[in-house]
Amino acid sequence: MPTSFEQRLAAQYGNLSVALRQAADFLRANPVEIATRPLRTVSRDSGVSPAAFSRLARALEYDTFDDLREEFRAHLGKRVGNFADRAERLQKDHAEGEGEFFAAQLAASRAGLSELEAKIDRARLGEVADRLAAARRVLLQGALGSTGVVEYLAYMATFHSDTWSLASRMGASLGSSLIGLDARDALIVVTMPPFATRSIKAAQLAHERGVFVVVITDTPSCPALQYAAARFIVPTESPHFYSSYVVTMFLLEALMGMVVARSDSASKTRIAEVEAANKSLSEVWGDT
């Protein structure tokens, strides 16, 4: 939690009204909500009026509630260093004989998976799997560093269903992929800093059309989160010069497995037919 917020709250908590204490308790328990959701949504979820949050901010000597929110964002947000600077650090550490990169990367990956296990809302993940399994269409969007993991998700999905597809694949228009989507459909966006503009815009347009938007990112400051109906913030820290996608890949594989588990027998039939077609077309080696 933001240290200065905790210090201010500790100093003033005994002087706050019941409504302001309720607002403060919600802030402490839901830092990601505060950092990523509009005030009206926070008010609805907490049962506390927007005015109470504004009064709390003033009582804690912030100029506005937005100033309080920015402190949460600054604390929770992942600071992304320049890739070249991080690569230089790797080279410097190697030259000085400081540690072994393989061991450090392995430890970071394990730590990220443990953090995901401890923090993820499994009930919410199940709800998202239910929604995706029931969706008429599921569109997948990832760009820049997130392109590969989203393409892998699409590859898995093609075994299961013909209703999952990549947005703007092979130079196709992103707009053409989004046209026709509505509340019966879903969009999964994977985006990490530096954020791809097209991914943020896709989330916005889909949200405006009533689409169920799922955003997977590594920081509460991600601009796409304001358009998300469901969001998952995953650890990506590692000694590497680039963000690690180990935890993201695990989450996508788990989510795909949960969707297939919730699907009817037609999914199993399709998977068998795809496998048979691959063999018939000699796309796989021998009896693999």
Side-chain angles (χ1 to χ4, degrees), residues 27 29 86 114 117 157 170 185 191 201 229 251:
L27 290 182
R86 297 178 69 175
S114 295
E117 180 183 20
M170 300 297 289
D185 307 308
T191 183
K201 293 292 188 181
L251 179 60

Side-chain angles (χ1 to χ4, degrees), residues 113-243:
L113 289 168
S114 295
E115 182 179 342
L116 179 72
E117 180 183 20
K119 294 184 177 181
I120 195 166
D121 185 339
R122 298 193 187 189
R124 183 55 174 156
L125 183 62
E127 292 169 358
V128 171
D130 288 337
R131 185 67 180 265
L132 295 175
R136 180 186 61 165
R137 291 177 57 197
V138 179
L139 192 65
L140 311 175
Q141 169 61 29
L144 301 179
S146 300
T147 303
V149 294
V150 171
E151 289 187 341
Y152 174 53
L153 176 61
Y155 176 75
M156 286 190 290
T158 58
F159 281 82
H160 152 71
S161 172
D162 62 359
T163 62
W164 290 53
S165 62
L166 280 171
S168 61
R169 188 175 190 180
M170 300 297 289
S173 163
L174 177 59
S176 66
S177 299
L178 291 164
I179 292 300
L181 297 185
D182 57 32
R184 296 170 292 178
D185 307 308
L187 169 69
I188 300 176
V189 175
V190 180
T191 183
M192 310 295 177
F195 303 113
T197 300
R198 62 192 296 107
S199 293
I200 310 304
K201 293 292 188 181
Q204 179 181 9
L205 181 56
H207 169 74
E208 291 170 354
R209 292 175 173 272
V211 175
F212 183 75
V213 178
V214 181
V215 174
I216 299 174
T217 186
D218 66 349
T219 170
S221 64
C222 173
L225 287 173
Q226 62 185 303
Y227 308 117
R231 59 210 183 283
F232 298 101
I233 297 177
V234 298
T236 59
E237 288 290 345
S238 82
H240 207 285
F241 82 93
Y242 202 79
S243 299

